[in-house]
Amino acid sequence: MPSHVANINADFKGKDIMTTNQFVREDVDIVLDEADAMAEMVNAEGRSDLLDDLVVANLFYEASTRTFLSFEAAAKRLGALTIATQGVEYSSISKGETLEDTIRTVESYADTITLRHPEVGSAAAAAAVSEVPVINGGDGNGEHPTQALTDLHMIRSRLNDIYDLKVTMVGDLKNGRTVHSLARLLSLYGAEINYVSPKELAMPKSIVDEIAPLSEQYQTENLEDVIADTDVLYVTRVQKERFLPEGGLFKEIRARRAYDKLKDSYLIDKQVMKKAKEDCILAHPLPRVNEIATELDNDPRAAYFDQVKSGMYVRMGLLALINGRTITQQF
Ligand code: CP
C-alpha cells in the first residue's frame, strides 16, 4: 500500500478509498451498516439532503455502467451535485495532459473524486496529488474496493452473516480486479476460498500468499471439485480488454487467440446449478458475457441484480463517511 494511503481505523473522514488493505473487519462493518441505513432511507424517503452542499466528481477513463451510474445516483440521492467525464476522448488527457494535472484541476471543482482508469496504481497516483479524497473505482487489473464492499453487503443482506463462508471464485481470477479485492475482504471474516480457473488465469500468488494466514485456499480447474460445498459461487467474465496488448499485429493476433481459447472456460447453467446447494448464492459483479446462462436469472439463488442495488447503497455510505457524515443514527 503506498505510504500516502492511510488505514481507515474506524475513521473515514477525509480518507482516500484505494485498496481493501486499508480495511480491518470493523471498518467493513461500519460501511455495511451505513449502507443498510442508506437502503432504509431510500426505501422510506427516496433521498436526503445529507451532502447538499457538496460537488462529487466522477472521472471514468474506462468503460463502466454500474460503478459510474451508482456513484452518480448515490451522490444525487444524498443531495450532492455531480460533475463527470466519461471516456478519455472527451478529456484533455487526449491532448496529452497528465493524470496528475487533471486531478489538480478537478479538485478545484469538487469535494470528492472517483476515478476509474485502465492502469494499475492510477488511483493511488491521483490520491498522491489530490487535496480532496479520491475513491478507486477500478484501476486496471488491480483493485475494485467499492465492488468488494458491495459484494459483502449483498451477501450479508441475504444471509445476515458473513463469517466463515465457503466461497468459490470462478473465471478470470488473474485479471478480475473485483476478486482481488473480495478475496482480501472475505479473509477478514475467516472465509474458505476456492479458486476455479484455467492455469493461465489463476489468482495472483501475491494475493494467495497475503491472505494465507487468515483463509484456507484451494485452487482447481474443475468446478465439480467444490461446487456442492459452496455457500457463494462468485463468477467473473474473462477480461477481454486485458488481452489486447499494443505493439504489432502478431502480438495482437496471439492475444486474440489466447482470449478465444479461454473465454468460454466455464458456463454456469441450470445443469451446473443442480449440483449447488439449495441456498447457494450465485453472484457476479457484472457485466456478464457468457458465464451465467440467462435461464438462471429467475433462480432464487441468482443474486447478481441484488448486487447492483447494494452498489448504490454502499457508495452512498462511503460518500457520507468520507465527508464526515452519517445517517446510521437516524435510520
Ligand atoms: N461491476 C462493475 O464494476 O461494473 P461496471 O464495469 O459496469 O462499472
Side-chain angles (χ1 to χ4, degrees):
M1 191 163 86
S3 57
H4 63 273
V5 177
N7 288 328
I8 302 294
N9 284 334
D11 178 11
F12 288 78
K13 190 172 179 188
K15 300 240 171 94
D16 304 304
I17 306 295
M18 289 290 113
T19 163
T20 42
N21 282 333
Q22 292 171 269
F23 288 75
V24 295
R25 209 161 54 200
E26 183 189 2
D27 305 321
V28 177
D29 290 341
I30 290 171
V31 176
L32 302 188
D33 290 346
E34 193 65 25
D36 278 348
M38 291 296 179
E40 213 175 311
M41 182 277 286
V42 168
N43 288 327
E45 297 172 9
R47 61 178 304 283
S48 124
D49 294 335
L50 192 70
L51 304 183
D52 70 353
D53 55 337
L54 300 184
V55 174
V56 170
N58 291 315
L59 305 185
F60 278 64
Y61 298 124
E62 199 179 48
S64 171
T65 296
R66 278 145 292 272
T67 313
F68 176 76
L69 288 175
S70 63
F71 268 111
E72 285 278 317
K76 286 173 173 153
R77 292 241 185 215
L78 293 173
L81 299 173
T82 65
I83 55 175
T85 295
Q86 276 185 289
V88 170
E89 65 273 32
Y90 297 113
S91 136
S92 284
I93 286 185
S94 66
K95 303 177 201 161
E97 184 166 56
T98 63
L99 176 63
E100 285 80 358
D101 282 1
T102 302
I103 296 296
R104 285 197 179 111
T105 301
V106 176
E107 73 182 8
S108 303
Y109 310 143
D111 301 287
T112 306
I113 299 171
T114 299
L115 176 70
R116 170 167 290 191
H117 196 284
E119 286 167 27
V120 176
S122 52
V129 298
S130 179
E131 294 290 326
V132 301
V134 176
I135 301 175
N136 181 0
D139 62 330
N141 64 0
E143 277 224 46
H144 197 348
T146 68
Q147 179 66 46
L149 291 161
T150 292
D151 300 335
L152 282 190
H153 183 261
M154 178 277 291
I155 296 168
R156 196 177 79 163
S157 301
R158 286 212 161 202
L159 300 179
N160 291 319
D161 187 15
I162 44 177
Y163 283 88
D164 302 324
L165 294 171
K166 291 181 179 161
V167 178
T168 297
M169 298 181 173
V170 183
D172 186 351
L173 309 183
K174 175 184 173 194
N175 297 305
R177 54 195 170 203
T178 66
V179 286
H180 302 165
S181 296
L182 183 59
R184 288 191 176 111
L185 289 192
L186 284 167
S187 73
L188 300 177
Y189 295 86
E192 286 179 35
I193 311 177
N194 303 309
Y195 303 120
V196 181
S197 71
K199 282 194 175 62
E200 297 93 324
L201 301 179
M203 179 64 84
K205 184 174 179 306
S206 57
I207 294 176
V208 174
D209 290 348
E210 187 186 314
I211 68 175
L214 299 172
S215 270
E216 277 185 40
Q217 300 167 89
Y218 174 71
Q219 310 219 25
T220 177
E221 291 183 58
N222 189 357
L223 180 57
E224 295 228 351
D225 291 349
V226 292
I227 190 166
D229 194 26
T230 290
D231 299 315
V232 180
L233 184 59
Y234 191 95
V235 185
T236 64
R237 98 191 137 89
V238 176
Q239 308 272 304
K240 185 177 184 181
E241 62 273 33
R242 312 287 173 225
F243 281 77
L244 298 172
E246 289 171 19
L249 184 60
F250 288 113
K251 276 188 185 167
E252 292 208 5
I253 290 171
R254 266 205 301 275
R256 207 172 309 133
R257 281 195 186 136
Y259 171 74
D260 286 342
K261 179 180 152 221
L262 296 167
K263 69 183 166 64
D264 296 322
S265 298
Y266 303 96
L267 168 66
I268 312 300
D269 59 13
K270 276 188 177 170
Q271 278 304 110
V272 173
M273 285 306 285
K274 275 185 187 162
K275 296 166 197 146
K277 293 200 276 190
E278 275 184 18
D279 58 352
C280 173
I281 291 175
L282 177 59
H284 191 307
L286 303 180
R288 75 174 147 185
V289 185
N290 292 319
E291 314 78 50
I292 298 181
T294 53
E295 67 184 13
L296 288 171
D297 290 357
N298 293 324
D299 187 314
R301 296 171 292 182
Y304 23 97
F305 293 113
D306 287 359
Q307 272 166 280
V308 172
K309 284 189 194 140
S310 284
M312 185 178 76
Y313 302 137
V314 162
R315 286 156 184 143
M316 289 172 80
L318 280 171
L319 287 174
L321 287 163
I322 66 176
N323 285 292
R325 303 177 198 181
T326 170
I327 64 161
T328 36
Q329 307 307 320
Q330 295 161 261
F331 283 86

